Amino acid sequence: MASTSYLVHFLFLFSIFNISFASRHLTELVHDSSNLLQYHNGALLTGDISVNLIWYGNFKPSQKAIVIDFIDSLSNKQSKSQSEPSVATWWKTTEKYQTKKSTKLSLRLGKQISDQSYSLGKTLTDNHLVQLASKGESRNAVNVVLTASDVTVDGFCSSRCGSHGSGPASAKMTRGKSYKFAYIWVGNSETQCPGQCAWPFHQPIYGPQAAPLVAPNNDVGLDGMVINLAGLLAGTATNPFGNGYYQGDASAPLEAASACPGVYAKGAYPGYAGDLLVDATTGASYNAHGTNGRKYLLPALYDPSTSTCSTLV
C-alpha cells in the first residue's frame, strides 16, 4: 500500500545550522521568499472536514484533552470564546491558500479510536501508520495517528518528528473512481528525543544551550506534539495529496509551516523562538489562546499574500 510522506524535520536544528531544506536557507525564507510556495494544481482540503484521532498506546485523559482542545480551537465557531491571539486566528492564514472558487475549509473534531493494546507492536513502519490511519473516516476527513512515548516509528527522532500523507480509501466514489484519505502521524518524543521534537520546551541536543521554556500545558511531550501537529495540519490543508502548495522535492517538500523553521514569534533567530507571551502565574511561554482556557505554542506560517513568515505575536 503506497503512501507519500511529508516530514516534520527538526526545525530547531534547521535554524541553528542554517541547513538547506529544499535548497532554501532560513534567511532566504524570510527575506527572499516571493512566490516561495508554488501551486502544483492539485486538490486542497475544502469544505467540512472531520479530524479523527487514533490514539496508539497509553495516553492519560489529561494528555488527550490537550490535543482535543487544540482541535476544537481551530474551528471558527469557537473563535469567539478564545482570547487573542488565538488558535483560530492562527489557522486563518491557511485560508489564504484557497482559490476563490473553493469551498471554505472548516475543521471539526471527529471520532476517536484508542488502541491501548499496541495491536501492531511497539515498533511501527510507514505501512503500519497508513493501516492505523485507515481506521478513521475515508472521506472528508483527516485521520491523525498519535503514538505514545514508548512507541518507535521508522525515522522518528533520526529524521522526523511526524509526517503527513495519503492512503487509498477502501470504498469507491461514484462512477467507480477511487480516492484517497489524508492522514497525519505525530509521535510523543518525551522519552526518546525531546531535545529534537519538543524544543523549545526541552534543551536542544545541539547548538546554544539556553534554558528550556516552560510548557503551557505542563507536559513537554504533548506540548511538543501540538507544535508538530499544528504544522502538519497546515501542510495537509495546503498540500494534502502531494500536488498542492509546496517548494522543492515532492518527497520532502517545503510547506506552509516548514517554510518558517524555528520561528514562533517576532524577534526569532537561530536558537531563539522569538518574543513569546509568558503566563504570569506559571511562567509558561505561548503564543495562542485556545478553548477551555488553554494556551499553546504554534509555529509561524508562511503567508502567501505577504511572502513572509506570519506570527501571532
Side-chain angles (χ1 to χ4, degrees):
M1 179 158 41
S3 66
T4 304
S5 182
Y6 306 94
L7 311 183
V8 168
H9 291 266
F10 306 141
L11 301 185
F12 176 64
L13 299 182
F14 273 82
S15 62
I16 285 180
F17 295 113
N18 216 23
I19 296 175
S20 173
F21 186 62
S23 301
R24 296 279 182 165
H25 294 288
L26 178 60
T27 51
E28 292 175 336
L29 302 183
V30 175
H31 299 297
D32 186 22
S33 52
S34 58
N35 300 319
L36 174 62
L37 302 187
Q38 298 177 355
Y39 181 46
H40 294 76
N41 301 313
L44 308 179
L45 286 191
T46 59
D48 186 19
I49 301 292
S50 63
V51 180
N52 304 300
L53 305 178
I54 298 97
W55 303 94
Y56 190 80
N58 292 315
F59 288 89
K60 300 175 183 177
S62 59
Q63 293 180 315
K64 290 184 177 182
I66 294 171
V67 176
I68 291 169
D69 285 345
F70 168 67
I71 299 300
D72 279 338
S73 299
L74 293 166
S75 170
N76 286 328
K77 295 179 181 179
Q78 299 287 348
S79 60
K80 293 182 180 179
S81 66
Q82 301 176 42
S83 301
E84 291 295 337
S86 69
V87 173
T89 297
W90 172 83
W91 184 248
K92 282 184 178 297
T93 298
T94 63
E95 295 178 2
K96 298 181 180 181
Y97 287 82
Q98 296 174 350
T99 65
K100 294 181 179 180
K101 296 181 180 180
S102 63
T103 305
K104 188 176 181 180
L105 173 62
S106 176
L107 297 182
R108 59 178 174 82
L109 181 66
K111 65 181 181 181
Q112 298 185 60
I113 299 170
S114 292
D115 188 341
Q116 295 180 311
S117 65
Y118 301 87
S119 62
L120 299 179
K122 292 188 176 182
T123 302
L124 304 182
T125 64
D126 282 340
N127 286 338
H128 287 142
L129 297 179
V130 175
Q131 185 177 341
L132 289 170
S134 66
K135 296 178 182 293
E137 297 174 4
S138 58
R139 296 191 67 179
N140 302 319
V142 175
N143 299 324
V144 180
V145 177
L146 302 130
T147 52
S149 59
D150 58 349
V151 176
T152 60
V153 177
D154 283 355
F156 188 34
C157 296
S158 63
S159 62
R160 59 182 182 171
C161 303
S163 62
H164 81 84
S166 62
S170 56
K172 298 287 184 180
M173 292 179 65
T174 55
R175 300 180 181 178
K177 293 182 179 180
S178 61
Y179 58 92
K180 299 178 180 180
F181 64 85
Y183 75 90
I184 291 171
W185 157 69
V186 181
N188 185 344
S189 66
E190 180 182 16
T191 59
Q192 298 184 54
C193 56
Q196 294 163 308
C197 294
W199 182 85
F201 300 130
H202 190 281
Q203 278 190 296
I205 295 178
Y206 307 104
Q209 296 298 301
L213 303 180
V214 178
N217 295 289
N218 198 34
D219 191 313
V220 170
L222 265 293
D223 278 299
M225 289 184 83
V226 169
I227 291 174
N228 295 317
L229 174 58
L232 287 164
L233 272 172
T236 300
T238 57
N239 187 31
F241 305 115
N243 53 6
Y245 284 93
Y246 71 88
Q247 181 78 356
D249 189 339
S251 65
L254 195 68
E255 296 179 326
S258 56
C260 305
V263 178
Y264 297 91
K266 291 181 175 61
Y269 56 82
Y272 179 62
D275 301 328
L276 298 168
L277 302 175
V278 178
D279 187 287
T281 302
T282 65
S285 295
Y286 67 99
N287 60 7
H289 293 271
T291 59
N292 294 326
R294 292 281 186 189
K295 296 179 175 66
Y296 295 103
L297 183 64
L298 305 178
L301 295 180
Y302 179 77
D303 186 334
S305 67
T306 62
S307 299
T308 61
C309 290
S310 175
T311 61
L312 285 170
V313 296

XYZ file of all heavy atoms in Angstrom, residues 4-11 14 21 126 129 153-156 158-165 183 185 228 231-232 235 239 249-255 257-259:
312
model
N 2.590 8.597 0.228
C 3.633 9.604 0.149
C 3.724 10.299 1.482
O 2.725 10.709 2.043
C 3.314 10.636 -0.940
O 3.139 9.937 -2.166
C 4.458 11.618 -1.092
N 4.934 10.460 1.995
C 5.097 11.016 3.340
C 5.758 12.375 3.277
O 6.699 12.581 2.535
C 5.956 10.065 4.175
O 6.099 10.530 5.476
N 5.228 13.327 4.073
C 5.771 14.677 4.155
C 6.219 14.892 5.574
O 5.462 14.695 6.510
C 4.713 15.701 3.736
C 4.164 15.357 2.390
C 3.014 14.596 2.281
C 4.862 15.699 1.242
C 2.548 14.219 1.040
C 4.394 15.327 -0.002
C 3.243 14.585 -0.102
O 2.782 14.195 -1.326
N 7.468 15.264 5.756
C 8.107 15.175 7.057
C 8.138 16.490 7.796
O 8.306 17.542 7.218
C 9.555 14.683 6.885
C 9.729 13.453 5.999
C 11.190 13.052 5.981
C 8.863 12.311 6.483
N 7.986 16.369 9.135
C 8.305 17.484 10.016
C 9.715 17.206 10.500
O 9.953 16.317 11.290
C 7.347 17.543 11.220
C 7.888 18.514 12.255
C 5.976 18.003 10.787
N 10.676 17.898 9.980
C 12.061 17.709 10.369
C 12.357 18.504 11.631
O 11.496 19.180 12.180
C 12.990 18.158 9.233
C 12.930 17.255 8.046
N 13.791 16.215 7.858
C 12.081 17.231 6.989
C 13.505 15.597 6.730
N 12.464 16.200 6.192
N 13.554 18.414 12.110
C 13.925 19.086 13.340
C 14.095 20.567 13.063
O 15.146 21.040 12.680
C 15.214 18.485 13.897
C 15.136 16.997 14.080
C 16.215 16.188 13.787
C 13.969 16.410 14.535
C 16.129 14.820 13.953
C 13.880 15.043 14.698
C 14.959 14.236 14.405
N 13.023 21.309 13.261
C 13.013 22.717 12.877
C 14.102 23.491 13.593
O 14.721 24.396 13.045
C 11.646 23.325 13.181
C 10.473 22.645 12.463
C 9.195 23.407 12.749
C 10.713 22.556 10.982
N 17.383 22.914 11.947
C 17.463 23.646 10.689
C 17.853 25.089 10.944
O 18.656 25.667 10.227
C 16.106 23.607 9.980
C 15.929 22.397 9.120
C 15.532 21.201 9.673
C 16.149 22.459 7.760
C 15.357 20.088 8.879
C 15.979 21.355 6.972
C 15.583 20.160 7.534
N 16.801 23.336 3.402
C 15.617 22.495 3.279
C 15.003 22.822 1.937
O 14.528 23.913 1.710
C 14.637 22.804 4.423
C 13.458 21.882 4.456
C 13.648 20.525 4.652
C 12.173 22.363 4.308
C 12.562 19.668 4.706
C 11.085 21.515 4.360
C 11.274 20.164 4.556
N 6.011 2.863 8.140
C 5.069 3.747 7.467
C 3.800 2.998 7.054
O 2.696 3.546 7.103
C 5.717 4.399 6.243
C 6.635 5.548 6.613
O 6.505 6.081 7.722
O 7.487 5.919 5.778
N 1.500 2.889 9.887
C 0.837 4.174 10.108
C -0.370 4.326 9.194
O -1.435 4.790 9.622
C 1.817 5.330 9.879
C 3.024 5.399 10.819
C 3.910 6.585 10.446
C 2.594 5.493 12.274
N 8.946 4.611 15.743
C 8.454 4.647 14.367
C 9.657 4.878 13.458
O 10.577 5.629 13.802
C 7.416 5.778 14.177
C 6.953 5.862 12.723
C 6.221 5.573 15.103
N 9.653 4.241 12.313
C 10.763 4.411 11.369
C 11.039 5.899 11.138
O 10.148 6.650 10.751
C 10.433 3.749 10.030
C 10.579 2.241 10.071
O 11.024 1.707 11.104
O 10.231 1.590 9.050
N 12.282 6.304 11.362
C 12.688 7.686 11.127
C 12.419 8.626 12.285
O 12.916 9.758 12.276
N 11.646 8.195 13.273
C 11.325 9.066 14.405
C 12.602 9.400 15.154
O 13.384 8.529 15.494
C 10.329 8.364 15.326
C 9.774 9.228 16.424
C 9.539 10.578 16.229
C 9.473 8.688 17.650
C 9.010 11.379 17.232
C 8.943 9.462 18.677
C 8.715 10.811 18.464
N 15.418 10.342 14.322
C 16.610 10.399 13.472
C 16.423 11.349 12.296
O 17.385 11.973 11.849
C 16.970 8.998 12.953
O 15.935 8.489 12.129
N 15.186 11.469 11.790
C 14.969 12.347 10.644
C 13.628 13.066 10.656
O 13.392 13.933 9.814
C 15.070 11.550 9.335
O 14.062 10.554 9.279
N 12.750 12.740 11.592
C 11.443 13.387 11.595
C 10.767 13.286 12.956
O 11.093 12.406 13.761
C 10.534 12.767 10.526
C 10.302 11.256 10.717
C 9.445 10.687 9.613
N 9.189 9.262 9.806
C 8.329 8.549 9.081
N 7.652 9.127 8.109
N 8.150 7.268 9.316
N 9.834 14.202 13.167
C 9.029 14.213 14.387
C 7.594 13.815 14.091
O 6.815 13.548 15.007
C 9.038 15.607 15.014
S 10.686 16.226 15.403
N 7.246 13.785 12.832
C 5.908 13.427 12.389
C 5.865 13.513 10.877
O 6.855 13.893 10.235
N 4.748 13.151 10.296
C 4.628 13.203 8.839
C 3.167 13.298 8.441
O 2.268 13.038 9.246
C 5.264 11.969 8.186
O 4.598 10.784 8.615
N 2.928 13.686 7.204
C 1.573 13.606 6.678
C 1.621 13.073 5.258
O 2.644 13.160 4.562
C 0.859 14.969 6.747
C 1.173 15.939 5.644
N 0.530 15.919 4.433
C 2.058 16.968 5.576
C 0.987 16.897 3.661
N 1.925 17.553 4.331
N 0.538 12.461 4.850
C 0.488 11.855 3.532
C -0.918 11.437 3.200
O -1.887 11.983 3.735
N -3.855 11.727 5.927
C -3.552 11.324 7.297
C -2.312 12.056 7.811
O -1.496 12.588 7.042
C -3.362 9.815 7.417
C -2.046 9.303 6.867
C -0.904 9.212 7.668
C -1.940 8.904 5.536
C 0.297 8.741 7.167
C -0.743 8.437 5.018
C 0.375 8.361 5.849
O 1.573 7.903 5.329
N 0.701 11.651 11.081
C 1.254 10.925 12.233
C 2.147 11.872 13.033
O 2.945 12.616 12.458
C 2.079 9.715 11.813
C 3.055 9.331 12.904
C 2.743 8.791 14.127
C 4.465 9.559 12.915
N 3.886 8.652 14.892
C 4.953 9.118 14.169
C 5.368 10.078 11.985
C 6.308 9.186 14.513
C 6.703 10.152 12.327
C 7.163 9.699 13.579
N 4.071 20.098 16.474
C 4.251 19.325 15.246
C 2.927 19.049 14.550
O 2.831 19.119 13.316
C 4.980 18.019 15.559
C 6.394 18.257 16.056
O 7.108 19.093 15.516
N 6.802 17.545 17.093
N 1.739 22.222 12.651
C 2.439 22.418 11.391
C 2.006 21.424 10.328
O 1.859 21.771 9.149
N 1.772 20.176 10.743
C 1.357 19.152 9.785
C -0.076 19.360 9.306
O -0.406 19.066 8.159
C 1.507 17.770 10.427
C 2.956 17.306 10.583
C 3.046 16.142 11.558
C 3.546 16.913 9.233
N 0.187 21.900 6.650
C 0.716 21.270 5.444
C -0.316 20.396 4.758
O -0.393 20.343 3.524
N -1.475 21.086 1.096
C -0.800 20.130 0.212
C -1.172 18.701 0.617
O -0.324 17.898 0.956
C 0.723 20.322 0.291
C 1.466 19.468 -0.735
O 0.965 19.187 -1.822
N 2.679 19.046 -0.374
N 11.595 19.293 -3.517
C 11.332 17.884 -3.798
C 9.971 17.490 -3.224
O 9.696 17.697 -2.052
C 12.440 17.036 -3.176
C 12.362 15.575 -3.592
O 11.283 15.119 -4.021
O 13.384 14.870 -3.453
N 9.131 16.875 -4.036
C 7.787 16.491 -3.590
C 7.820 15.469 -2.469
O 6.861 15.355 -1.700
C 6.989 15.942 -4.770
N 8.909 14.710 -2.339
C 9.001 13.705 -1.279
C 9.448 14.305 0.050
O 9.326 13.675 1.100
C 9.973 12.587 -1.685
O 11.294 13.101 -1.811
N 9.973 15.520 0.023
C 10.371 16.231 1.248
C 10.157 17.716 1.016
O 11.094 18.502 0.973
C 11.837 15.939 1.583
N 8.893 18.110 0.868
C 8.599 19.468 0.426
C 8.692 20.519 1.516
O 8.539 20.241 2.700
C 7.154 19.346 -0.076
C 6.575 18.304 0.823
C 7.683 17.309 1.043
N 8.926 21.732 1.080
C 8.830 22.900 1.938
C 7.371 23.340 1.893
O 6.844 23.620 0.825
C 9.735 24.006 1.397
C 10.074 25.189 2.301
C 10.946 24.728 3.451
C 10.764 26.265 1.495
N 6.719 23.378 3.063
C 5.281 23.655 3.103
C 4.980 24.856 3.985
O 5.880 25.563 4.430
C 4.528 22.418 3.592
C 4.666 21.234 2.653
C 3.944 20.000 3.135
O 3.875 19.771 4.373
O 3.447 19.240 2.284
N 4.156 25.481 7.064
C 4.831 25.657 8.352
C 6.331 25.403 8.254
O 7.129 26.117 8.865
C 4.218 24.737 9.406
N 6.729 24.394 7.502
C 8.158 24.078 7.411
C 8.932 25.131 6.644
O 10.169 25.128 6.636
C 8.363 22.697 6.775
O 7.739 22.605 5.516
N 8.239 26.071 6.003
C 8.897 27.197 5.352
C 9.409 28.214 6.367
O 10.160 29.122 6.005
C 7.941 27.888 4.379
